[in-house]
């Protein structure tokens, strides 16, 4: 057997094994939606007449081939029995095994067409196989099922190859500085000022003929408390402290101008006359002398006359 025949037999065996084992799992889970930046390849699969709509997924990072990008985006694929994964026969189980056996190349009237586009550009039909193309980072890879069409009018993917602009970042406004609420005004406890006194000399005596209010004793002049009536000798007084009496309204019996003011009782020491002890001694001597004179007279009366 020639070398070429050996290689072909090995390829057919590998392809047959892949078909018998079912669709190959994706090399990486990928992520739904467009790649957020140019650090990945966005893969678009449009199922068209097969049903299933259009699916967009991102193959993150650098991708070596179109096949690697399709798997890295998370799509399940199946190749043909003759050519293996070098020719994509099924994507996500479509077309079904009852419709397409995937033994040899699918017919031109029902196959997956392969497209590519730069970001923001337009789709271009790929003239290279899925293993012979390296998609640039940030670009788009497209797959669209072509049914009953030829290469000239194969349907493009229905999604435009344009990565959406990132949403503008919105910075939340800084919260206003926290300020403590002003304390409510406290009720004033100050006593309102009294009305100013009427004009006149302080502590002025009541006018003649006026009656003081009940419970008030008129205050005599300062000179009256220390004056001594004429013709009287100074009387020693003893100061006494009396307990305060309960306050009771006092009604004067006579008009204050018709009575003598009360005399203030104070303790005083008489320094102008003789001491009280000296006077007592003199009185005792006088009494003794008087007694002697009386006794002498009695003796003389009792003696007989010679």
């Amino acid at each position: 057997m020639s070398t070429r025949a050996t290689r072909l037999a090995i390829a057919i065996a590998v392809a047959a094994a892949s078909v018998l084992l079912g669709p190959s799992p994706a090399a990486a889970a990928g992520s739904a939606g467009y790649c957020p930046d140019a650090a990945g390849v966005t893969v678009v699969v449009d199922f068209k007449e097969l049903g299933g709509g259009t699916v967009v997924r991102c193959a993150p990072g650098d991708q070596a081939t179109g096949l690697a990008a399709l798997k890295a985006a998370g799509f399940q694929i199946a190749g043909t029995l003759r050519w293996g994964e070098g020719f994509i026969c099924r994507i996500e189980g479509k077309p079904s095994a009852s419709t397409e056996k995937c033994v040899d190349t699918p017919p031109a009237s029902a196959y997956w067409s392969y497209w590519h586009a730069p970001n923001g550009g337009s789709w271009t039909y790929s003239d290279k196989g899925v293993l012979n193309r390296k998609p640039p980072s940030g670009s788009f890879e497209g797959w669209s099922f072509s049914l009953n069409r030829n290469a000239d009018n194969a349907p493009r993917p229905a999604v435009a190859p344009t990565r959406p602009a990132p949403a503008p970042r919105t910075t939340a406004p800084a919260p206003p500085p926290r300020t403590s609420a002003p304390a409510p005004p406290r009720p004033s406890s100050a006593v309102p000022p009294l009305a100013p006194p009427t004009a006149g000399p302080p502590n002025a005596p009541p006018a003649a003929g006026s009656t003081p209010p009940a419970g008030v004793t008129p205050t005599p002049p300062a000179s009256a408390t220390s004056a001594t009536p004429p013709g009287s000798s100074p009387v020693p007084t003893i100061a006494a402290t009396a307990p305060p009496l309960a306050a009771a309204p006092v009604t004067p019996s006579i008009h204050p101008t018709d009575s003598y003011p009360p005399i203030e009782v104070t303790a005083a020491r008489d320094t102008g006359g003789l001491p009280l002890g000296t006077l007592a001694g003199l009185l005792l001597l006088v009494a003794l002398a008087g007694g002697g004179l009386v006794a002498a007279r009695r003796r003389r009366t009792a003696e007989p006359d010679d």
Side-chain angles (χ1 to χ4, degrees):
M1 183 182 294
S2 64
T3 304
R4 183 175 180 181
T6 303
R7 290 178 180 176
L8 181 59
I10 294 173
I12 292 174
V14 172
S18 65
V19 172
L20 293 175
L21 294 175
S24 61
S31 59
Y34 298 83
C35 292
D37 49 34
V41 176
T42 302
V43 180
V44 179
V45 176
D46 190 347
F47 291 89
K48 294 295 184 181
E49 291 84 359
L50 296 177
T54 304
V55 179
V56 179
R57 296 186 65 86
C58 174
D62 183 66
Q63 302 300 322
T65 63
L67 177 63
L70 186 60
K71 288 183 174 182
F75 291 99
Q76 299 288 333
I77 67 165
T80 63
L81 180 61
R82 181 177 181 181
W83 305 107
E85 291 180 344
F87 198 98
I88 304 301
C89 181
R90 292 192 184 98
I91 299 178
E92 294 295 322
K94 296 182 178 183
S96 64
S98 60
T99 304
E100 176 59 59
K101 303 301 183 182
C102 295
V103 175
D104 204 343
T105 304
S109 60
Y111 72 101
W112 282 102
S113 59
Y114 179 35
W115 304 78
H116 60 84
N119 179 44
S122 59
W123 291 111
T124 301
Y125 189 87
S126 179
D127 55 357
K128 294 181 180 180
V130 69
L131 294 176
N132 299 322
R133 170 176 167 77
K134 176 178 174 56
S137 296
S139 65
F140 281 72
E141 292 278 290
W143 296 87
S144 177
F145 193 77
S146 178
L147 182 63
N148 299 323
R149 295 181 177 90
N150 53 39
D152 296 333
N153 60 0
R156 294 175 174 82
V159 174
T162 303
R163 187 168 56 249
R169 291 186 178 181
T170 57
T171 304
R178 299 179 63 182
T179 57
S180 57
R186 295 183 177 180
S188 175
S189 59
V191 179
L194 300 176
T198 57
N203 302 324
S210 62
T211 303
V216 178
T217 303
T219 303
S223 60
T225 61
S226 60
T228 303
S232 63
S233 60
V235 179
T237 59
I238 300 174
T241 304
L245 300 177
V250 178
T251 305
S253 59
I254 59 176
H255 199 277
T257 57
D258 298 335
S259 62
Y260 288 102
I263 299 175
E264 181 180 1
V265 178
T266 58
R269 183 177 180 181
D270 187 4
T271 58
L274 293 175
L276 186 60
T278 304
L279 291 176
L282 290 178
L283 292 176
L284 181 59
L285 292 176
V286 171
L288 291 175
L293 291 176
V294 171
R297 287 182 180 179
R298 287 179 178 178
R299 284 197 208 107
R300 289 179 184 177
T301 303
E303 290 179 359
D305 294 333
D306 293 338

